Amino acid sequence: MTDDAPLFPVPPLAEQERMVEAMLFASAAPLSLRDMERRMPRGCDPAEALMLLRRRYEGRGVHVTRVGDAWAIRTAPDLGHLMSHETLEQKKLSRAAVETLAIIAYHQPVTRAEIEEIRGVAVSRGTIDQLLELEWIRLGRRRMTPGRPVTFVVTEGFLDHFGLETARDLPGLRELRAAGLLDSKPLPGTPGPEDEEDEEDDIPVGQSELFED
Amino acid sequence: MTDDAPLFPVPPLAEQERMVEAMLFASAAPLSLRDMERRMPRGCDPAEALMLLRRRYEGRGVHVTRVGDAWAIRTAPDLGHLMSHETLEQKKLSRAAVETLAIIAYHQPVTRAEIEEIRGVAVSRGTIDQLLELEWIRLGRRRMTPGRPVTFVVTEGFLDHFGLETARDLPGLRELRAAGLLDSKPLPGTPGPEDEEDEEDDIPVGQSELFED
Amino acid sequence: MADETHLFEATSVSERLAAEALIVDVDGFEGPLDLLLTLARTQKVDLRKISVLHLAEQYLVFVERAKALRIELAADYLVMAAWLAFLKSRLLLPPDPEAEGPSAEDLAAHLAFQLERLQAMREAAASLMARDQLGREFFARGEPQGIARVRRTEWRATLLDLMQAYARIRTRDEFRPYAFDRKDVYTLEQALDRLRTMIGFSGEWNELSAYLPEDWTADPARWRSATAATFLASLELAKQGQIEIRQRENFAPIAIRARTEPRDR
């Protein structure tokens, strides 16, 4: 594609807003701006249309919500009681699974050894499997330390499920970080599995790499 | 229940509109007014809220549309192209199936023998099965004639798929001709298998039985 | 040990019940750290101000007690007990400037950090689960269009198809079966018949155009059709060895004559 000029006139913004509205309504899963742009006529700007749409649905029965790098329409939380028919019986997560999930979310990317260090017990295979199956966590990049352990990060599905715009919006994240509670401090005198400085550098990387692919 | 006065104040109409909006959005199938009323607080009037909502969505990317006796949110027909690239592997219905479906829609309730008489050829078992499987037709009442043959009628799913509010909305032969869908006039002196006037009369008879059970 | 009273001679009934639960429910703890955190809470102070020495003593009492009640403790509880006994002794002794490795205070601080971090993660987990959740408080589109239908065959028919099909059936009698109109077509069979009959009477070269039927030469469409069919027929007869074909130059008239001698095969 060498020609940059669109072949047809770009639809007016109000029309683009309608298109974004139709696409978001039709999809149960969040759509990225790229997804939308690909499906719209050339020259369209879904981001701008999306902002208009978002404002339009403020205070309505459904909202336009951000999920990581994607967007979705979701019902307003205060109307949940009307949807009892739609409620899926959710399997209750074990305490171990919930804690493991929280540790992955707040410490990502995090290795299994680190999760065990924080919880003080071994992480059972079933716990990780369950979280993977729910598609709330996925494998992140391998850690560049001896043994190259795999890391875990949370997914867009996790953000969607808990109504988080980004992983930075996790409740209390800032306070926890300020209190140093998200740092990995090995037991004094015992060389940790990895260098502490590396770990500190890793965290912002982890946050930004969350939705890279 | 003897008390007619609602226990809690009835939510304002704007709030009821939000409720209807959220329910229609989240429901996996079209909702009737009764469905909505059952879920809403006592004293609510979903019909009025629905009309407000319907008006609100006029000209938007999605519409509130009637599907038989129920209501659903659907993509505006002019934006269907945005959705098309997601629907993989579409196959056109065979001519035999389309014709059989058309006969059922126009003549319901109709027996297999009647379909064959109108089409002039035998209707294969596979054709009927396919239409049943698509949930575009279903079994109607047995005909009170010797052999008590089963009849076929079209379903809500059929209306939904073809964007019809009722089967009554199907144009009659005269309208088809007026719309240029028929290019030839009947040859004088050769009456069709049925009289054209009958055609128009036929439909309402079937109609009343359409959603009886 | 004096500290034993702290845990097992609790004043209120509920505290005593809680203390007993600690013993009975030892399997309910998720490891020594979990137990330590529970014990630390009984100090009823900010985790940051916890007395690790006190905590170590509480833990050791707990382990002794469990042993007395013949409750099997997992190995890691015993490892922790040994480590805490060591830590306790280090904390009670004046610091040894010659000692290698981390100070007792460093070790205590790290244990306090671990407990605080575990507690923080538990609270984070609780606040996460307390959030509005998809499919519980808020909902996605119940009837997605498109994406959900991907990867399955969707039989399509439009309203137009339906109406046209119906119209087709209802007006079937108005149409005659479709047949190609042959009025102006001279067929290969006709040409072959004519050529076969006529060629026998002529041993001379004659132009192909001479073999066209008379009434097919006036109308251009009929003439074209007859010419094409006759030419094809001549090729067919030549192939069969019945005639010879000659053309002096490009676009010159084509002539044919009957073949007198059989072609050598």
Side-chain angles (χ1 to χ4, degrees), chain B residues 25-26 28 73-75 86 89-93 95 99 107 118-119 130 161-162 171 182 184 186 199, chain C residues 140-143 145-147 150 152-157 160-161 163 166-170 172 174:
Chain B
F25 174 83
I73 296 180
R74 293 273 184 273
T75 309
E86 293 173 343
E89 257 279 87
Q90 291 201 338
K91 286 188 188 160
K92 242 180 144 36
L93 213 55
R95 178 173 158 155
E99 289 186 355
H107 291 266
I118 296 169
R119 277 196 74 215
Q130 186 185 21
H161 182 93
F162 291 94
L182 284 177
S184 64
E199 172 54 29
Chain C
R141 179 78 161 142
E143 197 182 7
Q145 295 159 281
I147 290 175
V150 164
R152 77 180 163 95
T153 307
E154 190 178 285
W155 293 96
R156 275 209 56 83
L160 192 66
D161 295 336
M163 294 186 303
Y166 188 66
R168 192 163 61 224
I169 303 160
R170 292 305 306 276
R172 190 177 37 215
E174 300 165 18

Side-chain angles (χ1 to χ4, degrees), chain A residues 18 21 39 56 59-61, chain B residues 21 59-61 78 82 86:
Chain A
R18 288 182 75 231
E21 187 177 35
R39 289 157 60 178
R56 184 184 292 274
R60 299 275 298 279
Chain B
E21 186 176 38
R60 305 292 320 155
D78 66 308
L82 294 171
E86 293 173 343

Side-chain angles (χ1 to χ4, degrees), chain C residues 15-247:
Chain C
E15 275 178 283
R16 201 159 48 236
L17 282 176
E20 281 161 14
L22 286 183
I23 296 300
V24 176
D25 209 15
V26 71
D27 287 334
F29 289 104
E30 289 198 84
L33 208 56
D34 186 24
L35 172 58
L36 276 168
L37 188 56
T38 308
L39 292 172
R41 283 210 209 90
T42 66
Q43 292 190 13
K44 287 179 181 162
V45 290
D46 185 340
L47 271 183
R48 286 169 180 268
K49 294 175 192 139
I50 195 172
S51 158
V52 171
L53 179 59
H54 190 175
L55 184 64
E57 285 168 348
Q58 280 177 281
Y59 185 90
L60 293 172
V61 168
F62 172 85
V63 170
E64 286 306 312
R65 188 80 185 180
K67 277 184 187 160
L69 290 171
R70 297 179 194 284
I71 292 171
E72 288 255 353
L73 283 178
D76 49 350
Y77 284 86
L78 301 179
V79 170
M80 178 62 88
W83 186 80
L84 285 174
F86 162 76
L87 178 61
K88 180 185 157 190
S89 66
R90 291 273 313 265
L91 286 169
L92 291 172
L93 291 171
D96 178 2
E98 302 293 302
E100 298 256 319
S103 72
E105 280 70 28
D106 287 346
L107 294 175
H110 185 257
L111 179 62
F113 166 76
Q114 281 183 295
L115 293 175
E116 201 191 340
R117 183 174 61 180
L118 179 59
Q119 177 63 23
M121 280 302 110
R122 292 209 165 145
E123 283 163 7
S127 61
L128 193 62
M129 297 315 281
R131 286 184 71 83
D132 291 337
Q133 291 180 38
L134 183 66
R136 212 179 66 177
E137 281 83 19
F138 63 96
F139 293 82
R141 179 78 161 142
E143 197 182 7
Q145 295 159 281
I147 290 175
R149 294 186 177 173
V150 164
R151 264 179 251 291
R152 77 180 163 95
T153 307
E154 190 178 285
W155 293 96
R156 275 209 56 83
T158 64
L159 189 56
L160 192 66
D161 295 336
L162 197 71
M163 294 186 303
Q164 283 175 335
Y166 188 66
R168 192 163 61 224
I169 303 160
R170 292 305 306 276
T171 57
R172 190 177 37 215
D173 294 348
E174 300 165 18
F175 298 109
R176 64 185 173 95
Y178 180 79
F180 192 65
D181 202 332
R182 291 168 172 272
K183 193 158 61 77
D184 288 329
V185 175
Y186 194 67
T187 65
L188 176 59
E189 287 72 25
Q190 285 173 290
L192 271 173
D193 280 351
R194 182 175 172 85
L195 219 50
R196 276 206 190 94
T197 346
M198 290 177 74
I199 198 77
F201 300 106
S202 168
E204 300 299 308
W205 288 103
N206 279 310
E207 285 189 14
L208 195 61
S209 56
Y211 292 93
L212 297 188
E214 295 77 26
D215 52 336
W216 284 77
T217 48
D219 179 71
R222 286 164 75 85
W223 175 80
R224 265 199 303 276
S225 177
T227 304
T230 305
F231 175 61
L232 268 178
S234 71
L235 291 180
E236 177 62 26
L237 290 181
K239 190 175 153 201
Q240 291 171 12
Q242 297 183 34
I243 62 166
E244 290 174 302
I245 304 181
R246 183 183 75 183
Q247 186 178 31

